[in-house]
Amino acid sequence: MSCDTLHYDRRKQHTVLTMNTVAFTVNFMVWTMFSIIGIKIKSELGLNETEFGLLVATPILTGSLVRLPLGLLTDRFGGRIVYFVQMLLVAVSTYGLAFADQYWQYLVIGLCVGLAGGSFAIGIAYTSAWFEKEKQGTALGIFGAGNAGAAVTNMVAPLIVVALGWRAVPEIYSLSMLVMAILFWFLTYPDPLLETRKREGTMPTVGEMLLPLRETRVWRLGIAYY
């Protein structure tokens, strides 16, 4: 059964879109926090410019690499469970930053925190599954506003650093992510297309999900995004 033949609950659509967008915003807040706290870490550890650049880049690297596998997992298991687990993992990783004191620890934790960047792929797939094709553009446009999480960090994180010290940033952010994950789980629903596929036994195989990679435009658009 295709998306076009499904009957959607408007209330659930709006609720899922709202929670997706808010979760995306919180994830992007976490994903870009190294742009603020990284300056303090650089000062404490006496990092040179290369070391500092690597530190700030590690979350971005992971966020880029995990988008394909997270997208595949979302298609296979549904955005609700994948988003929930992803946010829990990010919350735990982020909290660990408050206790790190060696450069390698920051790098490892930074790679784990980078999972927050993968929220983009989860949210797009989960949002798309909840809307008819003619409404997906509008829904995804609203969801994309979650990119503002980066701007929120630029405004909020410096205030936290000044008031409570830089280690308070990962502590507050991890708690925010945990709360977001819990709210998300209780206020969202399994997408109807996935549930229909489960009932009909028509779940796509990994090979079928990878078929779009055979199209040149997919790679071209991926390079443009990069």
Side-chain angles (χ1 to χ4, degrees):
M1 181 180 290
S2 68
C3 293
D4 298 326
T5 59
L6 292 173
H7 297 286
Y8 295 91
D9 184 314
R10 298 303 177 195
R11 182 185 63 81
K12 289 183 178 181
Q13 281 183 321
H14 296 155
T15 301
V16 168
L17 178 57
T18 299
M19 295 307 298
N20 266 355
T21 304
V22 176
F24 185 34
T25 302
V26 176
N27 268 283
F28 257 53
M29 287 174 61
V30 172
W31 195 41
T32 56
M33 70 178 172
F34 270 90
S35 63
I36 304 300
I37 67 173
I39 298 173
K40 292 294 184 179
I41 297 173
K42 176 185 178 183
S43 177
E44 285 189 8
L45 299 181
L47 304 180
N48 58 40
E49 293 302 322
T50 300
E51 291 170 329
F52 174 65
L54 181 60
L55 174 66
V56 175
T58 50
I60 309 303
L61 173 63
T62 305
S64 300
L65 294 177
V66 299
R67 290 184 178 188
L68 177 59
L70 284 178
L72 293 175
L73 287 173
T74 301
D75 285 342
R76 187 65 179 81
F77 299 104
R80 184 170 179 252
I81 182 64
V82 176
Y83 224 155
F84 176 69
V85 173
Q86 177 261 344
M87 285 190 279
L88 289 181
L89 293 175
V90 171
V92 172
S93 301
T94 302
Y95 190 71
L97 274 175
F99 304 98
D101 58 9
Q102 297 183 46
Y103 183 58
W104 70 268
Q105 294 174 338
Y106 289 114
L107 291 180
V108 172
I109 295 175
L111 288 172
C112 296
V113 170
L115 280 171
S119 60
F120 183 75
I122 304 171
I124 282 184
Y126 188 39
T127 298
S128 297
W130 267 100
F131 288 86
E132 305 90 330
K133 287 186 177 181
E134 63 271 16
K135 295 184 178 180
Q136 285 179 357
T138 300
L140 292 175
I142 294 171
F143 167 76
N147 276 296
V152 173
T153 278
N154 287 338
M155 293 187 293
V156 173
L159 298 178
I160 298 175
V161 171
V162 172
L164 303 171
W166 78 261
R167 291 185 185 274
V169 175
E171 290 178 344
I172 293 173
Y173 273 27
S174 64
L175 178 59
S176 299
M177 183 64 78
L178 178 60
V179 172
M180 183 69 248
I182 294 172
L183 289 175
F184 186 87
W185 180 256
F186 286 107
L187 295 178
T188 57
Y189 313 88
D191 71 73
L193 180 58
L194 178 68
E195 293 303 295
T196 298
R197 286 173 172 171
K198 287 181 177 178
R199 288 195 302 269
E200 297 178 352
T202 57
M203 295 296 293
T205 64
V206 174
E208 290 172 338
M209 290 189 287
L210 290 174
L211 282 178
L213 295 179
R214 298 172 60 179
E215 297 189 29
T216 304
R217 64 176 178 172
V218 172
W219 294 95
R220 185 170 65 249
L221 292 173
I223 293 173
Y225 180 79
Y226 165 78

